[in-house]
Short mmCIF file of all heavy atoms in Angstrom, two decimals:
data_model
loop_
_atom_site.label_atom_id
_atom_site.label_comp_id
_atom_site.label_asym_id
_atom_site.label_seq_id
_atom_site.Cartn_x
_atom_site.Cartn_y
_atom_site.Cartn_z
N VAL R 313 15.36 2.73 -4.19
CA VAL R 313 15.80 3.64 -3.12
C VAL R 313 16.81 4.64 -3.66
O VAL R 313 16.78 5.83 -3.31
CB VAL R 313 16.38 2.83 -1.94
CG1 VAL R 313 17.01 3.76 -0.91
CG2 VAL R 313 15.29 1.99 -1.29
N GLN R 314 17.71 4.17 -4.53
CA GLN R 314 18.73 5.04 -5.09
C GLN R 314 18.12 6.18 -5.92
O GLN R 314 18.59 7.31 -5.88
CB GLN R 314 19.69 4.21 -5.96
CG GLN R 314 20.90 4.98 -6.46
CD GLN R 314 21.86 4.08 -7.22
OE1 GLN R 314 21.57 2.93 -7.49
NE2 GLN R 314 23.03 4.62 -7.55
N GLU R 315 17.05 5.88 -6.65
CA GLU R 315 16.43 6.89 -7.51
C GLU R 315 15.39 7.73 -6.77
O GLU R 315 15.34 8.95 -6.91
CB GLU R 315 15.80 6.23 -8.74
CG GLU R 315 15.27 7.23 -9.75
CD GLU R 315 14.97 6.63 -11.11
OE1 GLU R 315 14.76 5.40 -11.19
OE2 GLU R 315 14.95 7.40 -12.08
N VAL R 316 14.54 7.07 -5.99
CA VAL R 316 13.43 7.76 -5.35
C VAL R 316 13.86 8.51 -4.09
O VAL R 316 13.32 9.58 -3.79
CB VAL R 316 12.28 6.77 -5.05
CG1 VAL R 316 11.15 7.45 -4.29
CG2 VAL R 316 11.74 6.18 -6.36
N GLY R 317 14.84 7.97 -3.36
CA GLY R 317 15.31 8.62 -2.14
C GLY R 317 15.67 10.08 -2.34
O GLY R 317 15.18 10.96 -1.60
N PRO R 318 16.49 10.41 -3.33
CA PRO R 318 16.83 11.81 -3.57
C PRO R 318 15.62 12.66 -3.98
O PRO R 318 15.56 13.84 -3.65
CB PRO R 318 17.86 11.74 -4.71
CG PRO R 318 18.48 10.38 -4.56
CD PRO R 318 17.36 9.50 -4.11
N TRP R 319 14.67 12.08 -4.71
CA TRP R 319 13.46 12.82 -5.07
C TRP R 319 12.70 13.23 -3.81
O TRP R 319 12.20 14.34 -3.70
CB TRP R 319 12.54 11.98 -5.95
CG TRP R 319 13.01 11.79 -7.37
CD1 TRP R 319 13.93 12.54 -8.03
CD2 TRP R 319 12.56 10.78 -8.29
NE1 TRP R 319 14.08 12.05 -9.32
CE2 TRP R 319 13.26 10.99 -9.49
CE3 TRP R 319 11.66 9.73 -8.20
CZ2 TRP R 319 13.05 10.17 -10.62
CZ3 TRP R 319 11.45 8.92 -9.32
CH2 TRP R 319 12.15 9.15 -10.51
N VAL R 320 12.60 12.29 -2.86
CA VAL R 320 11.90 12.57 -1.60
C VAL R 320 12.66 13.63 -0.80
O VAL R 320 12.09 14.58 -0.29
CB VAL R 320 11.71 11.28 -0.79
CG1 VAL R 320 11.13 11.59 0.59
CG2 VAL R 320 10.81 10.30 -1.54
N ALA R 321 13.98 13.45 -0.71
CA ALA R 321 14.81 14.37 0.07
C ALA R 321 14.76 15.79 -0.48
O ALA R 321 14.74 16.77 0.28
CB ALA R 321 16.25 13.87 0.11
N SER R 322 14.70 15.93 -1.81
CA SER R 322 14.71 17.25 -2.44
C SER R 322 13.32 17.88 -2.50
O SER R 322 13.19 19.08 -2.80
CB SER R 322 15.26 17.15 -3.86
OG SER R 322 14.35 16.47 -4.71
N GLY R 323 12.29 17.07 -2.25
CA GLY R 323 10.92 17.58 -2.36
C GLY R 323 10.35 17.43 -3.75
O GLY R 323 9.21 17.85 -4.00
N ALA R 324 11.11 16.84 -4.69
CA ALA R 324 10.61 16.63 -6.04
C ALA R 324 9.45 15.63 -6.04
O ALA R 324 8.56 15.70 -6.90
CB ALA R 324 11.74 16.13 -6.96
N LEU R 325 9.47 14.70 -5.10
CA LEU R 325 8.38 13.74 -4.94
C LEU R 325 7.78 13.96 -3.56
O LEU R 325 8.44 13.76 -2.54
CB LEU R 325 8.87 12.30 -5.12
CG LEU R 325 7.78 11.24 -5.32
CD1 LEU R 325 8.32 10.04 -6.10
CD2 LEU R 325 7.20 10.75 -4.00
N LYS R 326 6.54 14.40 -3.56
CA LYS R 326 5.86 14.73 -2.30
C LYS R 326 5.03 13.55 -1.82
O LYS R 326 4.61 12.71 -2.61
CB LYS R 326 4.99 15.97 -2.49
CG LYS R 326 5.77 17.21 -2.90
CD LYS R 326 4.88 18.37 -3.20
CE LYS R 326 5.67 19.63 -3.50
NZ LYS R 326 6.53 19.48 -4.69
N TYR R 327 4.79 13.51 -0.53
CA TYR R 327 3.99 12.43 0.03
C TYR R 327 3.18 12.93 1.20
O TYR R 327 3.53 13.94 1.83
CB TYR R 327 4.87 11.25 0.44
CG TYR R 327 5.77 11.52 1.62
CD1 TYR R 327 5.38 11.16 2.92
CD2 TYR R 327 7.01 12.14 1.46
CE1 TYR R 327 6.21 11.41 4.01
CE2 TYR R 327 7.83 12.40 2.54
CZ TYR R 327 7.44 12.04 3.81
OH TYR R 327 8.24 12.28 4.88
#
Side-chain angles (χ1 to χ4, degrees):
V313 173
Q314 187 175 8
E315 186 165 23
V316 175
W319 286 342
V320 173
S322 70
L325 194 154
K326 299 175 175 62
Y327 68 96

